[in-house]
Amino acid sequence: MVNDGYQTIMNIDISQVVIDAMIEKYKDMPQLQYQRMDVRSLGFKDGEFDSILDKGMFDSLMCGSSAPTSAASMIKEVRRVLKPGGVYMLITYGDPRVRIPHLKSEEAPWEIKLHVLPRPGSKRAHEGTSRPITEPVSLGEDLTLGPTFKLEDPDLHYVYVCIKRGGNAVKRPSGDAKVDIKLCAKSQLISNYEV
């Protein structure tokens, strides 16, 4: 992301060992900042971030004890630190039946767009698709994707683009803005993200 021009990327992890390893590994990239923090209790101000990118954090919480409570705490905190109109992008193997109920709630109304991507290097990735990956897929009322998708397919990544509703929205560039969907390691808080 630094190579793509992002200037401020805040990375968090609950493990100080991981933080120290990342600081050492990326010491020549001052744009990357690291803090030890629990995603269920973020030490940031309300509305501090334009976007949050999560690859693996939500999934980790869903595998732990008290998964529903931990997931709800994380989503509440993510929503709190996002600006109105901010974007939370969740990249996961979790299909809509098991992720959307956690993302949707009365306290956290989102506009949710779902993208389905083939896992890099998978058979599906080599087969290609007639649907552009930048085009969201429609969900049925039962949270399924129709006959073209097998929900438990291990060759798929689900990308949930959740836009925070309410208040004054983050200003976006006019015209056809481009969204680059990149798979990044662990949960990352990103400020100054343009959609």
Side-chain angles (χ1 to χ4, degrees):
M1 293 176 68
V2 169
N3 294 337
D4 288 331
Y6 292 91
Q7 294 301 308
T8 307
I9 304 171
M10 176 59 69
N11 299 274
I12 67 167
D13 200 287
I14 200 165
S15 167
Q16 190 61 49
V17 172
V18 170
I19 295 294
D20 293 342
M22 293 297 100
I23 289 171
E24 177 60 27
K25 184 175 182 175
Y26 297 108
K27 62 187 171 195
D28 296 329
M29 294 186 177
Q31 301 90 333
L32 299 176
Q33 300 168 17
Y34 298 91
Q35 288 191 29
R36 183 183 175 278
M37 199 173 297
D38 186 333
V39 73
R40 297 166 295 185
S41 179
L42 295 171
F44 298 111
K45 299 181 294 189
D46 292 0
E48 188 167 342
F49 294 93
D50 294 321
S51 65
I52 297 175
L53 176 61
D54 173 2
K55 173 64 174 92
M57 186 68 254
F58 193 86
D59 290 344
S60 294
L61 291 176
M62 291 300 295
C63 294
S65 60
S66 66
T69 303
S70 290
S73 296
M74 176 185 166
I75 294 300
K76 182 178 178 184
E77 282 294 279
V78 163
R79 187 164 163 68
R80 181 184 66 77
V81 301
L82 273 177
K83 295 176 182 175
V87 175
Y88 168 53
M89 188 179 297
L90 169 62
I91 303 165
T92 176
Y93 286 115
D95 74 64
R97 296 170 301 168
V98 294
R99 290 299 180 260
I100 287 187
H102 293 284
L103 295 172
K104 284 189 170 184
S105 74
E106 294 298 319
E107 301 89 43
W110 304 98
E111 174 188 342
I112 300 174
K113 297 179 181 178
L114 173 62
H115 299 264
V116 180
L117 307 175
R119 185 176 48 84
S122 70
K123 181 180 176 185
R124 272 194 181 253
H126 295 297
E127 290 172 353
T129 177
S130 60
R131 184 188 48 78
I133 63 171
T134 55
E135 179 183 305
V137 296
S138 298
L139 284 173
E141 286 189 31
D142 61 352
L143 302 180
T144 61
L145 301 170
T148 56
F149 294 99
K150 178 181 169 197
L151 290 177
E152 292 85 13
D153 188 336
D155 287 341
L156 295 178
H157 286 292
Y158 297 94
V159 180
Y160 300 87
V161 179
C162 306
I163 302 167
K164 181 179 174 181
R165 293 182 181 155
N168 297 321
V170 175
K171 291 188 178 186
R172 306 280 181 215
S174 60
D176 293 328
K178 179 181 176 188
V179 176
D180 287 331
I181 299 175
K182 297 186 181 286
L183 302 180
C184 300
K186 281 294 182 186
S187 185
Q188 298 181 355
L189 298 165
I190 307 162
S191 62
N192 302 322
Y193 178 83
E194 291 185 355
V195 173

